[in-house]
């Protein structure tokens, strides 16, 4: 899973009408949420509205609280925490690479 479009296409039947689904364009986040959603979509009635960042923190909006009282809220919170952690690590790696004049793929950003 490399792009938001691929993710939203794969899970389009689970996006609630009027919502836009995944908006975090980070391959490691997409891969992680894809792995989780593979399991969540097996829950009868599962739907989601958005997976996004708001004020620098991950926000996950699903109907899990409605279909799995108590547990649904915990699942959403765990998803948000893990996504925020992944984003923080990616940001830190990118900054460290920049300090070494490398892009996020490890290539030199200075012209040769």
């Amino acid at each position: 899973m490399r792009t938001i479009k691929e993710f939203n296409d794969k899970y389009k039947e689970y996006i609630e009408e009027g919502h836009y689904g995944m908006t975090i364009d980070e391959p490691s986040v997409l891969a992680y949420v894809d792995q989780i959603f593979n399991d969540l979509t097996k829950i009868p009635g599962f739907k989601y509205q958005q997976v996004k960042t708001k004020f620098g923190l991950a926000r996950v909006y699903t109907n899990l609280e409605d279909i799995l009282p108590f547990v649904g809220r915990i699942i959403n919170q765990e998803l948000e925490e893990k996504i925020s952690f992944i984003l923080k690590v990616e940001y830190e790696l990118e900054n460290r690479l920049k300090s070494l004049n490398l892009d996020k793929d490890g290539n030199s950003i200075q012209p040769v």
Side-chain angles (χ1 to χ4, degrees):
M1 191 71 46
R2 302 287 301 166
T3 68
I4 292 170
K5 183 176 179 354
E6 289 174 5
F7 185 93
N8 287 330
D9 286 347
K10 180 176 180 179
Y11 295 106
K12 66 183 171 194
E13 68 183 275
Y14 300 99
I15 299 174
E16 285 190 5
E17 190 174 329
H19 294 281
Y20 46 84
M22 172 64 80
T23 64
I24 302 173
D25 194 15
E26 179 61 53
S28 54
V29 170
L30 292 168
Y32 171 71
V33 178
D34 179 43
Q35 186 178 30
I36 300 302
F37 272 33
N38 275 329
D39 292 331
L40 293 179
T41 56
K42 295 174 186 167
I43 299 171
F46 171 77
K47 295 281 187 189
Y48 78 108
Q49 298 86 31
Q50 300 170 7
V51 179
K52 65 179 187 174
T53 57
K54 186 174 183 179
F55 306 117
L57 298 172
R59 306 308 289 156
V60 176
Y61 299 98
T62 70
N63 67 342
L64 288 174
E65 289 184 49
D66 298 330
I67 59 177
L68 298 171
F70 306 112
V71 176
R73 186 176 77 233
I74 293 168
I75 293 170
N76 280 346
Q77 288 172 342
E78 282 294 314
L79 268 169
E80 290 174 351
E81 288 176 17
K82 298 284 193 282
I83 293 167
S84 291
F85 180 76
I86 292 168
L87 290 171
K88 184 184 280 187
V89 168
E90 290 290 339
Y91 176 78
E92 189 63 34
L93 284 172
E94 200 169 314
N95 282 337
R96 288 183 185 190
L97 287 169
K98 281 182 185 175
S99 74
L100 298 170
N101 290 318
L102 300 172
D103 66 14
K104 67 180 184 177
D105 297 318
N107 301 316
S108 177
I109 55 176
Q110 291 184 345
V112 179

